[in-house]
Amino acid sequence: MSPSRPPIRPAAERNIASYAVDLAAALGARAAFTLTGGMAMYLNRAVSTHPGLTAVYNQHEQACAGAAEGYAKAADYRVAGLAVVTAGPGVTNTITSLCSAYGDSAPVIVLAGQVKTADIDSFGTRTHGAQEVRSRDLVSPCVKRFVRVTAEGFRDELVETFAEAFTGRPGPVFVELPLDVQNLVIDYVAEDVLAAA
């Protein structure tokens, strides 16, 4: 661990959302481009309280993903840009910037909120619940990897997906975290995050 890296957050604030943000910071992100939203509330908290990240609040989610792309390019493609957005229109607004990052091989990590797992459509309707859209169907063609994080496999899902941003030809990855999964309290220490990074 580099002496300039700040310690991870206090134990009282450790949940899956904070683990995802801590992992992105351990990989070198020093800024998170974000726009707050209800379905990303725990991600928003994790970003705003991280001791080593600067939260950069944007007016639109397209700007969040576009700024994350610019961040990755400014870092000579060696550090992933980090964007944090909410569900529904927050997701759809990122698509143009994700297409740009994909075409330019820019490593970008998008952490996106989603409705609670129980509220995700399983009936085949156009939309189901507040702010839910078919994120996987819309975003997958624009990214190297899309994953909806689950409580059971979150560590492997996050590590593998973040790594995919740099594997082979770099590019954006999209991590969707349902609201109930974001706030699941977990126990981890700095060494866990650094070992995963």
Side-chain angles (χ1 to χ4, degrees), residues 7 10 14 24 32 42 57 90 95 98 131 174 181 184 190:
R14 294 184 198 156
Y42 302 106
Y57 296 99
I95 291 176
L98 287 173
Q131 287 196 299
F174 195 93
V181 174
L184 184 65

Side-chain angles (χ1 to χ4, degrees), residues 3 9 25 33 47 51-52 95 98 100 145 158 181 183 186 195:
R9 64 192 73 249
F33 302 94
V47 165
I95 291 176
L98 287 173
S100 175
R145 184 175 186 156
L158 289 170
V181 174
N183 194 35
I186 59 171

Side-chain angles (χ1 to χ4, degrees), residues 17-162:
S18 66
Y19 182 85
V21 170
D22 287 346
L23 183 58
L27 290 170
R30 293 293 169 260
F33 302 94
T34 187
L35 183 62
T36 60
M39 299 303 143
M41 68 175 77
Y42 302 106
L43 290 166
N44 299 149
R45 171 91 175 142
V47 165
S48 69
T49 60
H50 194 283
L53 281 177
T54 299
V56 180
Y57 296 99
N58 295 270
Q59 294 290 325
H60 194 277
E61 293 85 359
Q62 183 177 1
C64 296
E69 177 187 5
Y71 185 92
K73 289 177 176 180
D76 202 24
Y77 299 81
R78 291 178 295 200
V79 175
L82 175 62
V84 179
V85 300
T86 192
V91 169
T92 60
N93 288 341
T94 66
I95 291 176
T96 298
S97 292
L98 287 173
C99 288
S100 175
Y102 190 69
D104 285 353
S105 302
V108 171
I109 296 169
V110 176
L111 300 177
Q114 179 55 287
V115 298
K116 294 180 292 181
T117 303
D119 293 337
I120 295 173
D121 180 31
S122 60
F123 305 105
T125 59
R126 288 184 179 177
T127 62
H128 183 79
Q131 287 196 299
E132 189 206 0
V133 297
R134 296 188 178 283
S135 304
R136 183 181 311 274
D137 296 340
L138 294 169
V139 173
S140 290
C142 309
V143 296
K144 288 186 69 182
R145 184 175 186 156
F146 176 101
V147 66
R148 178 177 295 145
V149 173
T150 62
E152 296 75 33
F154 74 92
R155 281 186 173 90
D156 289 341
E157 291 168 337
L158 289 170
V159 169
E160 290 169 9
T161 303
F162 286 16

